[in-house]
């Protein structure tokens, strides 16, 4: 039985690694600018035909001035029947001159984390995966780097939307050690939203989908933020 997955992403962000996509006939083929939307197509193939994928909204509609009820009407039906949300992290995912409450991704995360009751059935918060895409140079360093002193990876969470940031390193009783350079190192499932690079996810997607489900089933161990600020 396939998982039902909701995918949240910045539709037109072109600051991603080229996937060498061509359009047209053999005699009139033209190179297509790769955007995050093309990675969603790839993700559909990776997850396979057994999985049901619900895609997020396009970027064309501004949310400025819309009520929570209007946004809910756009998102609730799609997200209600899913159990996992995959957020595609890309370098241009945020519009820095637009308030977060006026962008789709924070609301999609918010409604993924909220619980709803329909026909005497209450949906749980979705498990969430932050799936990091390579940038136009094929690098993840805009968000993921490796700390050789602490022998661990470091996440640039300041780059993220606030609701993503709030749900990382949010375990109520985390296991933490101090590195010799003064940094804190977190062990185990320290974040409700796990982070994985595109390359690693492709190798074993079920590993990360299973982990998201496992964390979802123990969400009481995390301080979860469900509102857009």
């Amino acid at each position: 039985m396939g998982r039902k997955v909701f995918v949240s992403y910045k539709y037109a962000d072109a600051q991603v690694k080229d996937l060498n996509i061509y359009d047209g006939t053999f005699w009139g083929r033209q190179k297509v600018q790769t955007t995050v939307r093309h990675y969603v197509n790839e993700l559909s193939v990776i997850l396979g035909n057994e999985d049901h994928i619900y895609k997020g909204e396009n970027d064309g509609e501004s949310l400025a001035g819309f009520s929570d009820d209007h946004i809910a009407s756009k998102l609730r039906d799609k997200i209600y029947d899913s159990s996992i949300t995959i957020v595609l992290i890309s370098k241009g995912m945020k519009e820095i001159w637009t308030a977060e409450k006026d962008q789709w991704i924070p609301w999609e995360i918010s409604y993924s984390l909220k619980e709803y009751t329909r026909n005497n059935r209450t949906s749980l918060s979705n498990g969430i995966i932050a799936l990091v895409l390579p940038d136009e140079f094929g690098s993840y360093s805009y968000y993921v780097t490796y700390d050789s002193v602490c022998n661990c990876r470091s996440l640039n969470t300041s780059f993220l939307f606030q609701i993503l940031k709030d749900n990382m390193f949010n375990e109520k009783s985390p296991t933490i050690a101090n590195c010799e350079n003064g940094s804190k190192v977190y062990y185990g499932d320290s974040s409700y939203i796990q982070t994985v690079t595109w390359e690693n996810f492709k190798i074993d997607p079920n590993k990360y989908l299973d982990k998201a489900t496992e964390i979802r089933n123990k969400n009481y161990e995390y301080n979860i933020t469900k509102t857009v600020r």
Side-chain angles (χ1 to χ4, degrees):
M1 181 177 178
R3 293 179 171 89
K4 294 185 178 180
V5 179
F6 181 82
V7 184
S8 178
Y9 58 99
K10 179 64 175 174
Y11 189 99
D13 182 12
Q15 297 182 65
V16 289
K17 184 179 179 181
D18 188 9
L19 291 175
N20 292 314
I21 299 169
Y22 289 84
D23 194 14
T25 66
F26 176 79
W27 298 107
R29 298 178 72 211
Q30 292 184 334
K31 187 76 176 292
V32 176
Q33 171 70 64
T34 299
T35 67
V36 174
R37 181 64 182 83
H38 295 107
Y39 277 87
V40 176
N41 294 340
E42 294 288 317
L43 181 60
S44 298
V45 174
I46 291 169
L47 295 182
N49 294 329
E50 292 297 319
D51 297 273
H52 303 279
I53 297 180
Y54 302 83
K55 302 176 180 66
E57 296 297 318
N58 294 348
D59 299 333
E61 182 179 13
S62 170
L63 297 181
F66 283 126
S67 67
D68 286 9
D69 288 342
H70 171 84
I71 297 169
S73 71
K74 289 278 190 176
L75 298 177
R76 192 174 290 152
D77 287 343
K78 285 186 176 182
I79 295 174
Y80 174 80
D81 206 27
S82 62
S83 60
I84 294 175
T85 294
I86 295 178
V87 185
L88 297 185
I89 307 298
S90 58
K91 188 188 283 187
M93 68 187 295
K94 290 175 67 175
E95 297 176 11
I96 60 174
W97 303 114
T98 302
E100 294 193 9
K101 65 182 178 62
D102 294 331
Q103 299 181 57
W104 279 114
I105 293 176
W107 287 105
E108 289 169 345
I109 296 165
S110 174
Y111 280 98
S112 293
L113 291 169
K114 290 179 178 179
E115 299 177 346
Y116 302 101
T117 300
R118 288 183 179 177
N119 300 320
N120 297 318
R121 175 180 173 268
T122 300
S123 67
L124 299 176
S125 299
N126 278 13
I128 301 184
I129 300 171
L131 180 51
V132 189
L133 302 183
D135 67 13
E136 64 269 43
F137 307 109
S139 174
Y140 298 101
S141 61
Y142 68 92
Y143 179 60
V144 181
T145 55
Y146 184 75
D147 188 331
S148 59
V149 175
C150 302
N151 192 31
C152 67
R153 69 178 184 175
S154 179
L155 303 181
N156 179 24
T157 56
S158 63
F159 160 82
L160 299 173
F161 289 106
Q162 188 66 44
I163 194 168
L164 276 171
K165 188 190 315 181
D166 288 344
N167 288 295
M168 292 181 176
F169 305 106
N170 62 330
E171 191 176 16
K172 291 179 180 177
S173 300
T175 302
I176 304 174
N178 292 318
C179 180
E180 60 185 82
N181 66 4
S183 300
K184 291 183 177 180
V185 179
Y186 290 78
Y187 293 89
D189 298 328
S190 58
S191 298
Y192 186 78
I193 300 178
Q194 61 174 316
T195 295
V196 58
T197 63
W198 177 254
E199 292 302 321
N200 285 338
F201 184 84
K202 288 195 301 181
I203 293 170
D204 190 359
N206 284 326
K207 170 183 176 181
Y208 300 100
L209 295 170
D210 289 345
K211 175 56 71 173
T213 301
E214 177 188 331
I215 293 174
R216 175 194 190 220
N217 290 337
K218 57 177 182 179
N219 61 9
Y220 52 85
E221 296 183 4
Y222 297 85
N223 293 310
I224 298 177
T225 297
K226 301 182 181 183
T227 56
V228 177
R229 292 194 280 154

